Amino acid sequence: MSTPLPPGPARQTSPLAIVSLVSGLLGWSLLPLIGSIVAIVTGHLARGEIRRAPDRYEGDGLAITGLVLGYVAIGLGLLALVVIMVFFGGLFALAAVNA
């Protein structure tokens, strides 16, 4: 009669993946630039950590969500900056022509 093997250690959610998700959410609310940058950096670090030790860590979806939130927030911020610069640049050009 054989004895059953004890179950292996349970996988835990990567703390970096959680930080990425929370920072991504903060990037949309309280800390627009800093939160988004932290979400991107920790999201990439979390995905690497999960890839290196898949038997120990989980949370790839959390890391990807943090990355998406961070990249989209920065992209929309840059797009808004370009629109503002074009708008005010056009106003200044129009004012210079009419002056």
Side-chain angles (χ1 to χ4, degrees):
M1 181 168 177
S2 66
T3 60
L5 294 174
R11 289 174 35 178
Q12 67 177 4
T13 303
S14 168
L16 288 171
I18 296 170
V19 170
S20 176
L21 177 62
V22 171
S23 298
L25 292 171
L26 287 175
W28 280 87
S29 57
L30 299 175
L31 304 168
L33 183 63
I34 296 170
S36 298
I37 291 171
V38 170
I40 291 169
V41 170
T42 56
H44 283 294
L45 290 173
R47 294 204 68 211
E49 178 182 61
I50 293 166
R51 253 186 260 123
R52 282 190 301 276
D55 55 332
R56 193 170 163 208
Y57 293 113
E58 59 186 18
D60 197 46
L62 298 175
I64 291 173
T65 304
L67 282 168
V68 169
L69 288 171
Y71 277 125
V72 170
I74 287 182
L76 288 176
L78 289 174
L79 181 65
L81 184 65
V82 167
V83 167
I84 288 170
M85 290 177 77
V86 167
F87 177 75
F88 284 113
L91 286 179
F92 289 138
L94 186 62
V97 168
N98 290 332

